[in-house]
Amino acid sequence: MLLCATVGLTACAAAFAVKDAGNAKIYACEVPPRPLGPAEEKLFRANRVAWDFFCAQPPGFRRLAEWRVMSAKKEETQQRRLAGLISACAQQKRHHTVTGSAKRADVPTPACI
């Protein structure tokens, strides 16, 4: 803030307004939702138990899980992440990479959710 007062507010605002194009839109909240592609959804729906559990989850969890799978740049990474998500959902668990807690991956989801 002291810097802004010495160089002027407009110069400081302009510096913060310019965002490095290389780092633009790297967070899930900055990009539009990326739902599963048709092939990924077909593979997910093939495991009925996993698909039913996934659909029963809150919209925020589903959106984040889909983004986590589809944001991978390499096809093999997308497939690996999708396989992990399907496996966790088949066991009626939320995948730890989506919830952010590896310790809580083995804790069953409460029935009220």
Side-chain angles (χ1 to χ4, degrees):
M1 191 66 175
L2 182 59
L3 177 66
C4 291
T6 58
V7 295
L9 188 57
T10 55
C12 197
F16 285 110
V18 177
K19 191 172 186 179
D20 182 18
N23 292 333
K25 297 187 178 184
I26 59 172
Y27 299 105
C29 62
E30 294 180 323
V31 295
R34 296 176 76 177
L36 296 174
E40 288 83 4
E41 188 172 327
K42 184 178 179 182
L43 188 63
F44 208 153
R45 284 179 184 261
N47 188 327
R48 184 73 177 171
V49 173
W51 181 252
D52 288 345
F53 177 79
F54 183 73
C55 290
Q57 298 308 301
F61 174 82
R62 292 192 311 261
R63 222 177 4 256
L64 185 58
E66 290 174 346
W67 177 83
R68 173 83 176 126
V69 170
M70 300 307 292
S71 67
K73 292 177 177 53
K74 292 183 179 180
E75 182 69 27
E76 62 257 16
T77 306
Q78 282 185 357
Q79 294 303 316
R80 188 181 69 243
R81 288 179 182 177
L82 180 61
L85 180 62
I86 292 172
S87 173
C89 288
Q91 298 172 20
Q92 306 286 307
K93 298 176 184 174
R94 291 184 177 184
H95 197 261
H96 66 88
T97 60
V98 178
T99 59
S101 175
K103 292 178 185 174
R104 297 180 59 200
D106 58 338
V107 176
T109 306
C112 61
I113 292 181

